[in-house]
């Protein structure tokens, strides 16, 4: 889909990008990563010709990018950047419709498309269509930046640290949503980041760059298992076993039959309903998580009220599309041995236990055929 | 909501008015148009003086009391009443002074009157401000507009009541009714056309300055130098080359290009309008968030589309701010161009200076001040109107 052939960018005496050759297959997410100044953003901006290469060829869909009119080329490539760059004088609907308007769509079509995209990125169209950028939070602005990039349904998305400017919790959420959207839309994506966790989580292939050169270009698993040199090994970090968890969504390993009880009036009734485990999740009629119950306390003679804890799903649960690493760090942070998995509507769909996390780690190591022992006992989990 | 602290602005206005009423001359009686006059106090105005005095006392009182809305209405109305009362009293004073004097005697407006009016304006303004601050509870914008209308009605009534027409300023106006309004028109035309020319040259120059650092240095440098040349010197500098051009090319002469008159005036005024317009256009464009420009480019907007759909709308409030500054500047400098033979309100000022007739000077100066204020307010409102909704503060 995208093919870079010996692409070089020179600024005076310095080489920003040096003879870069790279192929991005259709429907794949290619993440460009490396230390600052490694040429990753320059590479991205050469693809949509915001920067003109000094030499080399860039082919998009088998057509030489330099032969197209720059404006027309850019309209066919979605573009999202870290600072978002929403137009402050236009409302959200008009901001999303920038490219459709350039392409001459009619008004009803632009409105329908804006609504559709707001729903796709998880914002209520009724509420957001007429807002102005100054009324949005950082996370909302980033979502609208992504919606805007998708507006004209371009086959290719170019994203330059699109989630770089939001807080870690929001970034985690946006990454999950991006992964969901990508599963739906199958765009060809070139994604620049300096966050290795983000790269491992979202990439089909990671291109690690250094001083304008491509050091390693491979799947996240391959890069974690067999880094080509010290630079890549250091860049990926010593907690490679833990990083692997980033690749596994919670929904893959969760126990879909967690211990559940309805809230009942007396301790006996609740104890009767709950047999297996010490902790039991409490749900309402619609299956939404409302809290949990400590059986040990109940047996010890506490009242039902004392043994109950009310749950704020945002605090004590993870989403099905969250990564296993996030689930693990939440469990460790809360001091729990298991954590509830809750859908966006609040419905309890399963639970993840420390045991299942451990299982997932061993699985992926077996799968990759890598040695298990040195990585797991080296204190990575501490 | 009860306000605890007194309204300082209103108190300042009321104090100025009080001191002026008590200690400064309301008017002076001069044996003829040019001779020195004898000062006369407000006390000679007679019973009608009760109106401004009463208004002043209520204003002083209401600066301390009430909710913001009540206080706002009280101050606005007493300010307006004070202006009207001063006008009535001046008419009555002028009547009583002229009754005992010679036919060619003149009554000139004294410092006490001007300062009382200024104090009244401050009181009314502070009340108006308080009403704007409380928003809807201070009445709709249309209700607030009643106060200026009421002021005009009161002034009209004072004129109709008589006496004011014999005040020297009005006499000077009466003599020159046929030339006064054409002079106002000429003044507005000269300043307006020059401002438009400045806009037509300045905005493109500002856009080029934002695009190209060489243009920026030259354009901002040159317009800055122009600004430092005194207006009189500039007009003098233009006379010789324009006269030469006019002499050399008869077609130009037929078009009205001459060393004196409106041609040098318009060229000088256009040059003066350039600096604020070029600078503000440049600053407005330079202040657009680079991320916005990058996003626009990256989405496939051409340079022209980016300029007209994104950058200019965002820069527009600052551009208008430049136009406003230029307009106020030009209304003032236009008066000076009367010296090179452009007929406008400035002509009255220089004529008055020549004849040592202070009231004739005022006949030119007061409308110029009024025009500058109107231009300032009008263009401020326009600048607010063109500010895109998403970037408006509050």
């Amino acid at each position: 889909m995208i093919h870079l052939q010996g692409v070089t960018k020179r600024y005076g005496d310095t080489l920003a990008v040096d003879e870069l050759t790279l192929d991005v297959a259709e429907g794949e997410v290619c993440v460009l990563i490396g230390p600052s100044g490694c040429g990753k953003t320059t590479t991205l901006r050469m693809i949509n010709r915001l920067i003109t290469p000094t030499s080399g060829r860039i082919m998009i869909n088998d057509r030489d990018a330099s032969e197209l009119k720059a404006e027309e080329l850019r309209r066919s490539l979605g573009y999202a950047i870290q600072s978002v760059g929403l137009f402050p004088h236009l409302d959200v609907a008009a901001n999303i419709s920038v490219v459709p308007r350039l392409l001459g769509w009619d008004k009803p079509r632009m409105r329908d498309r804006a609504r559709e995209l707001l729903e796709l990125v998880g914002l209520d169209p009724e509420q957001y269509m007429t807002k102005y950028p100054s009324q949005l939070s950082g996370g909302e602005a980033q979502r609208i930046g992504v919606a805007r990039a998708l507006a004209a349904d371009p086959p290719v998305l170019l994203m330059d640290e699109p989630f770089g400017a939001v807080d870690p919790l929001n970034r985690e959420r946006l990454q999950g949503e991006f992964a969901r959207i990508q599963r739906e839309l199958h765009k060809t994506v070139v994604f620049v980041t300096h966050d290795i966790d983000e790269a491992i989580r979202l990439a089909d292939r990671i291109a690690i760059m250094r001083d304008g050169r491509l050091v390693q270009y491979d799947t996240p698993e391959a890069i974690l298992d067999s880094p080509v040199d010290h630079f890549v090994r250091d860049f990926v970090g010593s907690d490679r076993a833990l990083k692997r968890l980033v690749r596994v969504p919670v929904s893959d390993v969760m126990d879909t039959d967690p211990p559940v009880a309805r809230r009942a009036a007396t301790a006996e009734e609740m104890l009767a309903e709950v047999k297996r485990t010490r902790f039991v999740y409490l749900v309402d009629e619609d299956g939404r998580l409302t809290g949990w119950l400590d059986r040990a306390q109940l047996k010890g003679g506490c009242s039902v009220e004392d043994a109950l804890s009310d749950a704020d799903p945002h605090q004590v649960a993870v989403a099905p599309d969250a990564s296993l690493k996030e689930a693990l760090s939440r469990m460790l942070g809360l001091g729990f041995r298991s954590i509830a998995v809750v859908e966006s509507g609040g419905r309890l769909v399963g639970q993840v236990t420390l045991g299942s996390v451990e299982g997932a780690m061993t699985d992926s190591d077996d799968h990759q055929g890598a040695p298990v022992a040195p990585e797991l006992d080296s204190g990575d989990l501490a | 909501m009860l306000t605890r602290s007194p309204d300082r602005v209103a108190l300042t206005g009321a104090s100025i008015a009080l001191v002026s009423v008590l200690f400064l001359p309301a008017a002076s009686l001069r044996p003829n148009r040019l001779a020195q006059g004898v000062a006369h106090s407000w006390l000679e105005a007679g019973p009608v003086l009760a109106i401004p005095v009463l208004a002043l006392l209520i204003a002083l009182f209401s600066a301390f009391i009430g909710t913001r809305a009540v206080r706002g209405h009280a101050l606005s109305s007493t300010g307006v009443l004070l202006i009207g009362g001063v006008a009535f009293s001046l008419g009555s004073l002028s009547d009583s002074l002229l009754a005992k004097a010679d036919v060619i005697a003149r009554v000139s407006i004294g410092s006490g009157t001007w300062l009382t009016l200024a104090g009244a304006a401050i009181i009314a303004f502070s009340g108006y401000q308080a009403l704007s601050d409380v928003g809807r509870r201070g009445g709709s914008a249309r209700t607030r507009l009643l106060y200026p209308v009421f002021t005009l009605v009161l002034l009209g009534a004072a004129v109709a009541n008589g006496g004011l027409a014999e005040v020297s300023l009005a006499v000077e106006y009466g003599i020159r009714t046929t030339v006064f309004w054409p002079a106002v028109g000429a003044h507005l035309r000269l300043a307006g056309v020059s401002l438009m020319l400045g806009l037509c040259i300045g905005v493109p120059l500002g856009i080029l300055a934002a695009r190209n650092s060489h243009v920026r240095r030259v354009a901002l440098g040159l317009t800055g130098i122009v600004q430092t040349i005194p207006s009189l010197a500039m007009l003098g500098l233009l006379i010789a080359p324009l006269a030469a051009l006019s002499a050399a090319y008869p077609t130009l002469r037929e078009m009205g290009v001459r060393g004196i008159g409106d041609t040098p005036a318009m060229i000088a005024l256009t040059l003066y309008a350039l600096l604020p317009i070029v600078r503000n256009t440049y600053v407005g464009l330079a202040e657009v968030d680079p991320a916005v420009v990058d996003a626009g480019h990256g989405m496939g907007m051409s340079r022209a589309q980016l300029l007209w759909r994104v950058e200019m709308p965002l820069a527009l409030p600052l551009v208008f701010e430049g136009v406003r500054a230029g307009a106020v500047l030009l209304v003032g400098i236009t008066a000076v161009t009367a010296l090179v033979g452009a007929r406008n309100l400035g002509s009255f000022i220089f004529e008055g200076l020549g004849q040592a007739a202070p009231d004739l000077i005022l006949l030119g100066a007061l409308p110029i001040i009024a025009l500058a204020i109107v231009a300032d307010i009008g263009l401020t409102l326009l600048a607010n109107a063109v500010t895109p909704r998403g970037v408006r503060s509050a």
Side-chain angles (χ1 to χ4, degrees):
Chain A
M1 187 73 184
I2 301 174
H3 176 62
L4 279 72
Q5 176 74 53
V7 172
T8 298
K9 180 65 195 181
R10 189 188 291 276
Y11 291 106
D13 285 338
T14 52
L15 269 174
V17 176
D18 184 10
E19 287 284 322
L20 181 73
T21 297
L22 189 77
D23 267 302
V24 184
E26 185 162 357
E28 266 193 4
V29 179
C30 165
V31 173
L32 302 177
I33 193 168
S36 56
C38 71
K40 51 191 194 291
T41 293
T42 308
T43 304
L44 184 90
R45 291 168 73 87
M46 284 193 289
I47 296 175
N48 67 358
R49 289 180 55 194
L50 285 171
I51 295 175
T52 313
T54 310
S55 64
R57 270 207 323 173
I58 297 175
M59 308 285 290
I60 297 169
N61 234 348
D62 297 324
R63 291 177 71 186
D64 192 329
S66 64
E67 283 167 11
L68 297 164
K69 218 179 144 224
E71 278 84 30
E72 273 161 33
L73 171 74
R74 289 179 200 143
R75 285 170 205 172
S76 69
L77 308 172
Y79 184 59
I81 53 176
Q82 177 178 359
S83 35
V84 194
L86 293 178
F87 297 163
H89 61 303
L90 299 181
D91 64 14
V92 165
N95 261 294
I96 294 177
S97 305
V98 167
V99 179
R101 173 176 289 190
L102 292 173
L103 295 172
W105 291 18
D106 56 43
K107 271 195 181 152
R109 188 174 168 208
M110 290 197 289
R111 279 202 86 71
D112 291 347
R113 181 65 180 155
R115 280 176 183 284
E116 197 180 313
L117 285 164
L118 279 174
E119 267 164 27
L120 183 74
V121 298
L123 296 173
D124 175 20
E126 297 309 321
Q127 213 186 325
Y128 284 91
M129 289 282 271
T130 54
K131 282 201 179 192
Y132 282 90
S134 56
Q135 301 167 302
L136 301 172
S137 72
E140 289 165 344
Q142 297 275 10
R143 282 182 167 85
I144 287 159
V146 172
R148 181 172 69 171
L150 289 166
D153 202 15
V156 175
L157 279 185
L158 305 177
M159 309 180 93
D160 190 353
E161 305 205 25
F163 313 133
V166 289
D167 60 276
L169 199 68
N170 250 312
R171 188 180 315 153
E172 186 83 39
R173 208 168 288 158
L174 284 165
Q175 286 166 356
E177 280 169 26
F178 174 76
R180 171 180 58 79
I181 291 171
Q182 172 62 6
R183 275 197 299 277
E184 244 174 81
L185 303 179
H186 300 291
K187 299 289 180 191
T188 306
V189 182
V190 180
F191 190 112
V192 166
T193 185
H194 63 262
D195 176 356
I196 186 70
D197 282 350
E198 186 168 75
I200 291 169
R201 180 167 186 193
L202 299 178
D204 291 307
R205 278 167 188 278
I206 298 177
I208 299 185
M209 293 181 70
R210 181 194 194 185
D211 299 335
R213 289 173 163 278
L214 188 62
V215 184
Q216 187 169 7
Y217 184 42
D218 218 326
T219 62
E221 287 81 5
I223 282 179
L224 286 172
D225 286 332
S226 41
V228 290
D229 59 12
H230 275 293
F231 171 74
V232 176
R233 189 185 297 272
D234 291 347
F235 194 78
V236 172
S238 56
D239 56 343
R240 288 176 6 236
L242 208 52
K243 290 248 162 67
R244 211 159 283 141
L245 295 179
V246 171
R247 293 289 292 168
V248 187
V250 161
S251 53
D252 277 15
V253 296
M254 69 183 178
D255 166 13
T256 52
D257 183 25
V260 172
R262 293 278 185 81
R263 183 176 288 212
T266 68
E268 285 71 30
E269 279 178 73
M270 305 218 7
L271 279 171
E273 218 180 315
V274 183
K275 292 266 157 58
R276 281 186 293 160
T277 53
R278 178 180 164 187
F279 289 96
V280 176
Y281 298 110
L282 297 175
V283 295
D284 64 9
E285 301 80 55
D286 300 323
R288 280 197 294 263
L289 181 68
T290 60
W292 67 87
L293 176 74
D294 186 347
R295 250 160 65 95
Q297 281 194 329
L298 210 54
K299 277 186 176 160
C302 282
S303 69
V304 177
E305 296 308 317
D306 283 341
L308 277 176
S309 303
D310 286 327
D312 172 5
H314 284 299
Q315 297 297 324
V316 299
V318 292
D321 58 2
S323 72
L324 216 48
K325 186 187 176 191
E326 192 198 352
L328 177 64
S329 71
R330 287 283 195 87
M331 276 189 266
L332 295 176
L334 293 162
F336 291 176
R337 295 192 63 80
S338 64
I339 191 162
V341 182
V342 165
E343 280 183 346
S344 57
R347 211 170 64 84
L348 180 72
V349 292
Q351 73 164 345
V352 177
T353 61
L354 274 183
S356 56
V357 173
E358 205 179 329
M361 276 166 131
T362 336
D363 278 358
S364 67
D365 281 337
D366 284 352
H367 176 69
Q368 298 295 333
V372 179
E375 297 221 328
L376 274 184
D377 65 10
S378 59
D380 281 354
L381 283 176
Chain B
M1 184 189 71
L2 277 167
T3 41
R4 290 184 207 94
S5 61
D7 189 322
R8 282 163 209 276
V9 178
L11 278 182
T12 312
S15 314
I16 292 171
L18 189 64
V19 171
S20 313
V21 168
L22 290 180
F23 303 112
L24 293 176
S28 60
L29 181 66
R30 292 189 291 199
N32 61 54
R33 183 170 171 244
L34 306 175
Q36 279 290 334
V38 180
H40 288 270
S41 117
W42 274 119
L43 299 175
E44 294 165 60
V48 76
L49 189 63
I51 309 174
V53 170
L54 205 61
L56 193 49
L57 291 178
I58 299 173
L60 271 173
F61 178 65
S62 48
F64 288 97
I65 51 106
T67 63
R68 280 183 82 77
V70 170
R71 186 192 277 184
H73 282 296
L75 288 176
S76 301
S77 45
T78 49
V80 167
L81 199 60
L82 187 51
I83 294 172
V86 167
F88 271 97
S89 308
L90 185 66
S92 148
L93 180 62
S94 150
D95 264 350
S96 70
L97 289 179
L98 287 175
K100 295 170 273 180
D102 208 39
V103 201
I104 55 162
R106 291 281 187 98
V107 171
S108 283
I109 303 172
S111 58
T113 306
W114 293 124
L115 280 173
T116 312
L117 285 175
I122 293 172
I123 295 171
F125 178 77
S126 73
Y128 196 83
Q129 199 66 29
L131 288 180
S132 309
D133 286 349
V134 294
R136 231 155 248 276
R137 279 175 299 135
S140 68
R142 205 170 298 172
T143 324
R144 271 178 270 150
L145 210 62
L146 279 176
Y147 288 111
V149 172
F150 192 40
T151 312
L152 291 179
V153 170
L154 273 183
L155 288 177
V159 171
N161 188 44
L164 280 181
E166 279 77 51
V167 171
S168 184
L169 184 62
V171 175
E172 297 287 354
Y173 169 71
I175 296 167
R176 290 174 182 78
T177 358
T178 48
V179 286
F180 178 80
W181 291 107
V184 172
H187 202 97
L188 275 179
R189 209 160 36 245
L190 188 54
V193 169
S194 309
L195 188 67
M196 282 301 144
L197 283 174
L199 204 58
C200 293
I201 302 168
V203 170
L205 214 53
I207 293 172
L208 285 177
R211 292 265 182 272
N212 184 311
S213 60
H214 295 291
V215 176
R216 171 163 68 247
R217 237 167 295 141
V218 174
L220 292 182
L222 281 184
T223 50
I225 290 170
V226 166
Q227 215 70 15
T228 62
I229 304 176
S231 45
L232 213 51
M234 167 90 87
L235 291 167
L237 283 174
L238 286 170
I239 290 177
L242 283 175
L245 269 181
S246 163
Y249 300 100
T251 26
L252 283 181
R253 188 163 56 237
E254 277 159 35
M255 282 166 63
V257 174
R258 278 179 303 153
I260 57 164
D262 281 342
T263 317
M266 201 176 292
I267 292 174
L269 291 173
T270 305
L271 287 175
Y272 280 116
L274 280 181
L275 178 70
I277 294 174
V278 172
R279 190 185 45 203
N280 279 40
T281 306
Y282 159 68
V283 172
L285 290 173
E287 273 185 2
V288 174
D289 183 357
V292 166
V293 177
D294 182 44
H297 266 304
M299 283 188 292
M301 293 184 121
S302 66
R303 278 202 131 180
Q305 284 167 333
L306 199 59
L307 178 68
W308 294 115
R309 294 190 192 180
V310 181
E311 293 174 292
M312 276 313 269
L314 291 174
L316 213 51
L318 264 180
V319 175
F320 266 88
E321 173 56 33
V323 174
R324 188 195 62 80
V328 173
L329 188 73
L330 290 203
V331 168
I333 299 181
T334 299
V336 181
T337 65
L339 279 180
V340 292
R343 297 282 315 170
N344 53 51
L345 287 170
S347 314
F348 296 136
I349 297 180
F350 294 114
E351 220 175 296
L353 283 170
Q355 301 172 4
D359 294 310
L360 184 53
I361 299 174
L362 282 181
L363 187 66
L366 289 179
I368 291 174
I369 295 170
L371 285 180
I373 293 174
V374 167
D376 185 62
I377 294 173
L379 284 165
T380 304
L381 290 178
L382 202 60
N384 286 338
V386 299
T387 305
R389 261 189 66 195
V391 279
R392 227 172 273 180
S393 52

